[in-house]
Amino acid sequence: MKKWEYATVPLLIHATKQILDNWGDDGWELVTVMPGPNPENLVAYLKREKV
């Protein structure tokens, strides 16, 4: 059975693509993006398989 690890990452509106690309390069898959504590912030939820 696969095992996963998870991360939550604050996203800055002006750098969302760069932030997600960096995490993707490290093997993380985006699960969802949710609103953060204020309208200018988003939070990304990511997962990757444990090795």
Side-chain angles (χ1 to χ4, degrees):
M1 181 162 79
K2 289 184 180 183
K3 297 192 179 211
W4 303 95
E5 61 181 322
Y6 298 90
T8 54
V9 180
L11 296 176
L12 305 171
I13 300 270
H14 66 277
T16 301
K17 181 183 181 330
Q18 180 182 358
I19 293 167
L20 292 175
D21 283 348
N22 287 338
W23 282 82
D25 287 343
D26 288 338
W28 291 92
E29 178 182 349
L30 179 64
V31 176
T32 192
V33 175
M34 301 290 290
N38 63 53
E40 295 151 8
N41 293 32
L42 298 171
V43 177
Y45 292 81
L46 304 114
K47 73 175 186 178
R48 72 176 171 187
E49 190 172 358
K50 282 189 175 182
V51 219

